[in-house]
Structures are given as structure tokens and as C-alpha cells.
Amino acid sequence: MNNICNSLHLFFSEMERLNFPFDTKKIHLNGIYILFEHDEKSHGVDRIVRIGTHTGENQLRSRLQQHFLRENKDRSIFRKNIGRAILHRVKDPFLEQWNWDLTKREAKESLGKMVDRNKQENIEKQVTEYIQQKFSFAVFHVPEKEKRLSIESKIISTVSLCDVCTASSGWLGLHSPKRKIRESGLWQVNELYKEPLSREELAKVKLFAIN
């Protein structure tokens, strides 16, 4: 597994890397993104810290904008997890409110009036600053939804099962209240430690990425 993960890291590290502010025209309408974080290393290159995709048609650009630009943690679990780590690191009690999901009308009516809006805006800005300064990404085209989800899952599992891919001692994710984030070194909790890529599937992923 370590060898396949090594091959993934070397391959993705050689792809075009996008940083904020990025040109959305360079992002496919449908596909997968591979996220790297500054100061995190593995296999001699930048360490992969998140793998993601989208379920809606033609939504890859929008998904990345939700992460990097739109200050709404309820529309980006990535943003929510960054905020959780920031708050948990200093034992800030606002973490309880940050965890609330206010996307549904019922939650907005029952919890919305209790949220400290100024505090929430402040944390959202901290999350935005951290993401825009610390992360870069590569993208590749996968048009079919089922194939995207399958490849995403297997890349996540491949990286999470790799013994070499460990977080640095200064990684923000080590302050996450989510055990799976702390232990995996990835900014996600789903699809960890499942079925990894085979060598044949790895070759197919590379073909997707170069086409």
C-alpha cells in the first residue's frame, strides 16, 4: 500500500498546482481535487491532506469556491473541520455553536437566534485566511458521478492506510476534536481505511488525470 501511495503522491505532485486566487477556467466542471497543505510532507513531496469531489452535475468549480471563498461552514464540511480545530486548540466554548448545522429552516428558527454572529463571522474569516494561505490543489477530470465517487473513496483509503503518510507535529488537524482526523492526518472522516486502489486501478487513475 505504501508503494501505491508513494506513486500517487509523486504523480499528483507533478500535476499543475492551483493556489488561491485560482483561475476557475483551469478547473474541470466534473472531477476530483487533491488537496495539499504547506509544511506537510510525505514520500519526499507535499503531503496529500484531503481528497474530494462533488455529487451534483458540473459542480467541481462551485465546490472548491465553497471551500476557499464562501464563508459558510454549513456548506463545506472542510471549512467546518478547519474551524473545529482552530476552536478546539484554544478550548473555545464557541465550538458548540460552530457545530450547529443551520441549513434547515427548523434549525435556523430554533438555534439561529442564539448564535453569536460576530464570533461566527470572526471564525469564518480565520478559516478563510488559513485555507487560502495554507492549501493548494490539483484537479483531474472524471465525468461520471459513480466513477468519481469510487475513485475518491479508493484514493482516500489508499492514503489513510499508508504508514508513511503521517502528520507533522505542527499540523493543525492534531487539534481536531474528531479522532479520525487526528489519526488519519486527513481533513475528512468518511471513506477512511476502506478498499484502496489496486495497481491496475492506479494506472486507470493516472490515465484519467492526463486526459
Side-chain angles (χ1 to χ4, degrees):
M1 190 49 52
N2 291 2
N3 290 336
I4 293 179
C5 190
N6 178 75
S7 181
L8 274 178
H9 271 79
L10 296 180
F11 179 77
F12 287 132
S13 69
E14 293 177 355
M15 291 180 63
E16 181 178 9
R17 189 81 62 89
L18 300 177
N19 299 274
F20 182 85
F22 48 83
D23 182 358
T24 56
K25 293 179 181 178
K26 292 186 176 182
I27 300 173
H28 304 287
L29 294 177
N30 296 289
I32 292 173
Y33 64 86
I34 307 294
L35 207 65
F36 305 89
E37 189 168 349
H38 299 334
D39 303 322
E40 291 296 312
K41 302 292 181 181
S42 187
H43 303 284
V45 295
D46 292 342
R47 183 170 72 85
I48 295 170
V49 296
R50 181 177 171 84
I51 302 97
T53 187
H54 55 100
T55 55
E57 187 70 12
N58 300 330
Q59 292 299 308
L60 181 57
R61 295 174 181 177
S62 175
R63 191 68 183 134
L64 286 163
Q65 288 175 328
Q66 287 174 339
H67 294 334
F68 279 82
L69 288 168
R70 297 173 188 165
E71 295 185 339
N72 184 347
K73 47 86 177 176
D74 291 331
R75 295 297 181 183
S76 165
I77 188 60
F78 176 48
R79 290 186 64 89
K80 181 168 277 190
N81 281 326
I82 296 288
R84 282 169 172 160
I86 289 172
L87 290 162
H88 194 250
R89 178 171 55 181
V90 295
K91 303 296 187 288
D92 192 321
F94 184 73
L95 176 60
E96 179 183 0
Q97 293 186 24
W98 184 260
N99 281 327
W100 293 346
D101 185 346
L102 303 179
T103 54
K104 294 183 178 179
R105 186 180 66 181
E106 294 82 0
K108 282 184 180 180
E109 292 176 350
S110 62
L111 299 173
K113 59 181 176 290
M114 295 189 287
V115 174
D116 184 337
R117 296 293 180 181
N118 290 332
K119 179 74 172 183
Q120 180 158 311
E121 289 177 7
N122 177 267
I123 301 302
E124 288 279 17
K125 291 186 184 307
Q126 289 185 48
V127 171
T128 297
E129 181 178 3
Y130 188 87
I131 290 175
Q132 291 180 358
Q133 292 183 358
K134 291 287 188 177
F135 294 92
S136 60
F137 60 94
V139 293
F140 62 97
H141 181 55
V142 184
E144 300 87 1
K145 175 182 174 180
E146 289 186 7
K147 180 61 68 175
R148 286 197 302 273
L149 295 175
S150 175
I151 292 174
E152 177 203 34
S153 175
K154 290 187 177 183
I155 295 178
I156 292 171
S157 289
T158 300
V159 177
S160 64
L161 289 167
C162 177
D163 296 331
V164 177
C165 290
T166 56
S168 72
S169 60
W171 187 52
L172 177 62
L174 295 178
H175 296 281
S176 174
K178 297 291 184 178
R179 178 180 56 83
K180 288 184 177 181
I181 289 177
R182 298 194 307 270
E183 293 181 354
S184 70
L186 294 171
W187 287 110
Q188 48 206 136
V189 299
N190 295 325
E191 307 306 319
L192 301 171
Y193 315 120
K194 293 185 177 181
E195 183 181 353
L197 290 167
S198 66
R199 292 193 176 278
E200 292 76 15
E201 289 168 330
L202 171 64
K204 291 179 181 179
V205 167
K206 290 181 177 180
L207 285 176
F208 268 112
I210 62 177
N211 290 329

